[in-house]
Amino acid sequence: MDTGTHVVMGVGLGGLAMLDPVVAHSPAAEQTVFAATLIGSLAPDFDTIFKLKDNAVYIKQHRGFSHSLPALLIWSLLIWGTLVLFNPVPSELHLWLWSLAAVCLHVFVDLFNAYGTQALRPFSRRWIAFGIINIFDPAIFFLHAAGIAFWALGLFPPGPTFLAVYTVLFFYYFWRYFAYKQVQERVISQVPDAEYVNLSPTIRWTQWHASAKTPDAFYVLQVSRNEAVTLDRFKPKPFSEIPKQVLEDENVRAFLNFSPIYIWDETEYPDLREIRLVDLRYRNRAGHYPFVAIALLDEQDHVVSSFTGWVHSERKLQKKLELQMDVN
């Protein structure tokens, strides 16, 4: 989910913690547990620091180990240990449990959007992305915002308020799941020989992006209400034709590790050859696919420059590639 949603969920979980008698009967515990749930709701995304290195490292690491099973314990213990040093509480166990709950809730909700996480590490490095909830879901955000407003204005106590919020959201997730299955059926009816279907919800409940792979083609569709419309159809080039040097490039490997459905193409220039891989899950209104991996090869098929990430301007992309060529 987006950072704003994680923040309001951290506040909401802090409000829910007021149902815990150990927390509710101690002002010091209230403040410390609230800090724990707020920090815990953001902690797994501290891996954003990898952006300072480069896109390839960030794409490989974001929502990777930081969202894994060991990380749940590590983050919660770090939060618990830090807060206990400065804010003594009646029950250290309860503080740790609420810290753990906040971290777990963060990872749990991230599983349901199209980006997903590697939540099963170290047992599996597979990306788990259910594709049911948009990265920003108005219902989730504004339900929390309403609960926070009622709490701040003194209209309702925080514990029962957020118990009601999370009860509603429990059923909301079930509703989104059934909506997902209906959309999946519409896509399969449109592309009956699909071997693989990927769905991405949009901010609108009734509109979804879809991509599908068949033995002969890739399809990109838009599903709204009761219809699935094919926007693009691509004839795939054999994966085996991608030069080995490209597949060994760090940026391309990061892209392949992350993208489950993509196409690739090549463009010849006087002294260079460009190999471009395009993720079909992301298509903007202009028909552009912004998430790509690109490798430039010289006449001996050596990679002289590469890039992976979001490309919203071809001019900026060429500048990035030129800079990397200068470095190399």
Side-chain angles (χ1 to χ4, degrees):
M1 305 300 289
D2 70 300
T3 301
T5 299
H6 284 308
V7 168
V8 295
M9 293 189 87
V11 175
L13 197 62
L16 187 68
M18 303 306 169
L19 292 177
D20 182 344
V22 173
V23 176
H25 293 157
S26 167
E30 284 185 12
Q31 296 174 5
T32 306
V33 167
F34 182 83
T37 59
L38 186 57
I39 297 170
S41 70
L42 295 171
D45 280 350
F46 291 165
D47 61 6
T48 303
I49 194 172
F50 286 112
K51 268 190 175 181
L52 297 176
K53 183 168 177 58
D54 58 50
N55 278 355
V57 173
Y58 173 70
I59 289 168
K60 284 193 292 186
Q61 299 298 333
H62 183 50
R63 295 198 182 181
F65 180 77
S66 66
H67 288 60
S68 67
L69 293 173
L72 300 179
L73 184 61
I74 293 170
W75 286 124
S76 61
L77 288 174
L78 284 173
I79 296 166
W80 166 81
T82 303
L83 290 175
V84 162
L85 285 176
F86 302 100
N87 299 278
V89 293
S91 173
E92 295 181 3
L93 175 62
H94 283 242
L95 175 61
W96 174 69
L97 289 174
W98 283 107
S99 302
L100 179 63
V103 176
C104 289
L105 182 62
H106 176 118
V107 175
F108 175 79
V109 297
D110 278 355
L111 291 172
F112 288 87
N113 56 52
Y115 196 107
T117 78
Q118 290 180 311
L120 293 181
R121 288 178 66 174
F123 302 107
S124 172
R125 286 180 173 267
R126 183 173 68 89
W127 284 90
I128 304 172
F130 297 136
I132 295 173
I133 303 291
N134 186 259
I135 197 167
F136 174 78
D137 186 290
I140 296 174
F141 181 86
F142 288 111
L143 269 174
H144 279 86
I148 293 169
F150 291 152
W151 178 11
L153 294 172
L155 300 177
F156 297 101
T161 297
F162 285 101
L163 180 61
V165 167
Y166 288 117
T167 300
V168 171
L169 288 177
F170 176 81
F171 290 104
Y172 176 72
Y173 270 73
F174 271 102
W175 174 71
R176 291 295 291 171
Y177 169 76
F178 289 114
Y180 173 94
K181 298 302 289 185
Q182 290 177 345
V183 170
Q184 190 177 56
E185 290 174 3
R186 290 176 201 146
V187 173
I188 292 174
S189 67
Q190 183 82 356
V191 189
D193 55 343
E195 299 175 330
Y196 173 80
V197 172
N198 181 277
L199 300 181
S200 299
T202 70
I203 198 170
R204 299 180 180 179
W205 286 339
T206 59
Q207 191 171 92
W208 300 66
H209 294 308
S211 48
K213 177 182 178 182
T214 72
D216 303 314
F218 289 93
Y219 293 82
V220 177
L221 308 95
Q222 179 175 291
V223 185
S224 57
R225 300 195 183 275
N226 295 318
E227 63 176 352
V229 178
T230 299
L231 302 176
D232 287 318
R233 180 182 182 277
F234 300 97
K235 184 72 174 177
K237 299 181 67 171
F239 182 83
S240 59
E241 293 182 8
I242 301 178
K244 180 182 177 182
Q245 295 91 326
V246 173
L247 297 177
E248 293 173 348
D249 179 78
E250 182 181 9
N251 281 298
V252 174
R253 285 193 289 113
F255 176 92
L256 294 174
N257 180 62
F258 174 70
S259 177
I261 183 165
Y262 61 90
I263 57 170
W264 74 276
D265 203 355
E266 59 183 319
T267 304
E268 297 281 352
Y269 298 105
D271 300 317
L272 295 170
R273 181 158 61 117
E274 177 191 286
I275 304 293
R276 181 175 299 211
L277 296 87
V278 179
D279 193 315
L280 296 181
R281 293 176 298 170
Y282 308 106
R283 183 184 190 274
N284 62 26
R285 293 181 180 179
H288 175 65
Y289 296 87
F291 189 70
V292 301
I294 294 174
L296 294 180
L297 287 71
D298 61 18
E299 294 176 345
Q300 288 74 44
D301 275 352
H302 297 141
V303 177
V304 296
S305 182
S306 65
F307 169 83
T308 188
W310 300 89
V311 176
H312 299 286
S313 166
E314 195 69 22
R315 181 176 58 84
K316 290 182 179 180
L317 170 64
Q318 296 306 322
K319 282 188 176 181
K320 290 178 182 291
L321 292 170
E322 288 171 6
L323 286 173
Q324 290 199 13
M325 288 177 68
D326 292 339
V327 171
N328 293 334

